[in-house]
Amino acid sequence: MRYLRSGPRRLHTQEVGVPRAKTVGLRSGEIADRNIRVILEAIRRHGPLTRTELGQHSGLTGPGITNILRRLAEEKLVTSNRRNGLGGGATATEFALRPEGAFSVGVKLRQRRGEMVLIDLSGQVHDRVYFGLEPADKVRLVHAAARDMVDRHAALPIIGLGIAANDWMEGESDAIAAMSTIARPYVENECTAGLLAERTIGSSTREGALAMIIIDDDVQAGFLIRGIPYSGVHGRAGSIGEMLTGPDNLRLNTVVGFSSLRSRIGDDEFTRLLQGEEFSSPSLSQWIREAAGHLLDPIIAMAGFIAPSVVMIGSDLPQGVIEALIHQLSVERRDTATRPLLTPWISPMKPASFSGGGVALGAALLPFLNTLLLPPASA
């Protein structure tokens, strides 16, 4: 593992990607890399664990586990303590994650605004900032925000930068890297980043497919199938905002997107919602009813074709609004006045575990998933 072999990397360390030919098997270094990730993931998810318990979780031998634990301790990623035996029995050494051993920065980008978080190895948020964006000056503004974040926490081992955006281009990553003070970022689309946050540190089930719907300026969906993000041809999977939905065949974005909500409730109430204020009003209730009536169509399509174990709905809207929307969706699915057939096969629906659908969190996890932790498909 490059991170462990070379010592903790900081965000200012420049990394050069070298294309590698396809291989059938794993080289010895890659096997060692994976075994380290297996142990660290077991400790992160189930710890504190003794060597015996780590062997049960990983299937690795005692000497191999001991060598890996020594390396993780040297990198200050795990810590050890004595565990007292039951009934006065023998004690054993147990190993726990040291969250402050590594940090990462994640950025969620929309057309006119950005959110940036700093997280530790456990996923705990240590800093969060919001900043404005101009499409023509996006790279400079992202770089400046990341540079400020890193400078504020210069003493921390920040190992990478992740970006969640639907319109980020390779050339923009090159431009970030060319500024020399920040490593080339890992990039995913917004829904995939949210799903990675759910699967890695959220409350979602680890069985079956997982779907995420994010309501923002537009409406989009993402899918994890057997832990692997599914993007479709040209990355167009999940472009549900362009669907014609409801009995009036309106484009989903025009009914459920933020522009529709803002026009329905007014600028002042919309600002209050985005600031996290919970309130009720007739206009907001009407938007929830209309949004549910149109959002049900893509949810039925997901259930019919993918049958995810759960459909999660995330947004910058308050939790109460998301819960009211999900409740209204359950009402709509039983209403045969607009749909002649009941739809009992719809997957369970629940709010996303994190605000904003966990998109910024998922972006911050990307450097960890590419250097330290097991990707969801392997975990």
Side-chain angles (χ1 to χ4, degrees):
M1 184 183 301
R2 288 176 294 175
Y3 171 67
L4 289 170
R5 289 171 184 160
S6 59
R9 297 182 296 179
R10 304 297 178 116
L11 192 53
H12 60 257
T13 302
Q14 182 65 36
E15 218 170 274
V16 179
V18 179
R20 192 183 69 191
K22 292 183 179 179
T23 57
V24 176
L26 296 177
R27 293 192 286 264
S28 59
E30 293 171 323
I31 295 173
D33 179 4
R34 176 176 172 79
N35 288 343
I36 292 172
R37 295 192 190 206
V38 166
I39 292 296
L40 189 60
E41 178 68 13
I43 294 173
R44 186 190 71 83
R45 188 170 292 277
H46 306 290
L49 297 173
T50 65
R51 287 183 176 85
T52 299
E53 291 166 341
L54 281 168
Q56 294 168 351
H57 281 283
S58 67
L60 299 177
T61 63
I65 291 173
T66 297
N67 289 334
I68 290 172
L69 289 172
R70 183 175 62 250
R71 294 181 63 182
L72 292 175
E74 289 172 354
E75 297 295 342
K76 300 181 179 179
L77 297 175
V78 300
T79 185
S80 60
N81 296 287
R82 298 297 293 177
R83 179 194 294 179
N84 292 328
L86 296 176
T91 63
T93 302
E94 62 181 13
F95 299 85
L97 184 72
R98 188 173 178 271
E100 65 272 25
F103 290 79
S104 177
V105 175
V107 188
K108 169 188 174 182
L109 298 180
R110 299 300 296 171
Q111 188 172 8
R112 296 288 179 178
R113 67 188 193 278
E115 175 187 358
M116 182 172 291
V117 296
L118 174 72
I119 69 170
D120 63 25
L121 194 52
S122 70
Q124 178 70 34
V125 176
H126 289 255
D127 197 358
R128 188 191 304 266
V129 296
Y130 299 90
F131 57 98
L133 282 177
E134 291 294 334
D137 203 19
K138 180 168 57 176
V139 171
R140 186 189 66 80
L141 292 171
V142 171
H143 179 272
R147 187 71 268 159
D148 289 345
M149 178 76 78
V150 172
D151 288 345
R152 278 200 307 278
H153 303 278
L156 300 180
I158 301 176
I159 71 167
L161 171 67
I163 293 177
N166 294 336
D167 57 354
W168 188 264
M169 307 297 290
E170 282 291 318
E172 292 169 318
S173 290
D174 295 338
I176 288 281
M179 293 178 181
S180 75
T181 57
I182 295 179
R184 196 174 197 280
Y186 299 96
V187 181
E188 270 293 357
N189 67 53
E190 294 175 41
C191 274
T192 297
L195 286 164
L196 290 174
E198 286 289 347
R199 196 63 177 260
T200 306
I201 58 177
S203 60
S204 69
T205 175
R206 300 182 63 74
E207 299 299 327
L210 176 63
M212 170 80 77
I213 294 174
I214 292 182
I215 299 172
D216 206 283
D217 296 330
D218 54 6
V219 186
Q220 52 187 301
F223 313 98
L224 279 184
I225 300 176
R226 295 182 179 177
I228 301 173
Y230 179 75
S231 300
V233 178
H234 305 305
R236 292 187 56 82
S239 302
I240 61 174
E242 300 302 311
M243 289 180 62
L244 299 179
T245 58
D248 44 4
N249 276 337
L250 294 178
R251 202 174 302 276
L252 190 64
N253 281 337
T254 65
V255 183
V256 184
F258 277 178
S259 60
S260 170
L261 176 58
R262 184 187 289 108
S263 65
R264 171 73 66 177
I265 67 177
D267 290 339
D268 291 343
E269 288 194 352
F270 180 75
T271 299
R272 289 167 59 195
L273 283 178
L274 290 192
Q275 291 174 344
E277 185 176 341
E278 297 269 7
F279 63 87
S280 61
S281 71
S283 54
L284 177 58
S285 297
Q286 181 63 26
W287 176 82
I288 289 173
R289 287 192 293 270
E290 292 183 1
H294 289 78
L295 198 56
L296 188 60
D297 284 348
I299 291 176
I300 291 174
M302 291 180 201
F305 285 99
I306 301 177
S309 58
V310 65
V311 175
M312 311 198 83
I313 299 180
S315 178
D316 286 326
L317 298 174
Q319 180 87 351
V321 175
I322 300 300
E323 290 174 349
L325 179 60
I326 291 173
H327 172 73
Q328 187 62 35
L329 281 163
S330 68
V331 173
E332 290 287 334
R333 63 181 289 192
R334 292 174 174 81
D335 183 6
T336 56
T338 55
R339 291 176 179 82
L341 298 175
L342 293 176
T343 52
W345 62 84
I346 290 181
S347 305
M349 294 171 282
K350 60 184 292 188
S353 301
F354 309 104
S355 63
V359 174
L361 273 175
L365 285 168
L366 292 175
F368 292 150
L369 294 172
N370 280 276
T371 60
L372 292 174
L373 302 178
L374 284 175
S378 304

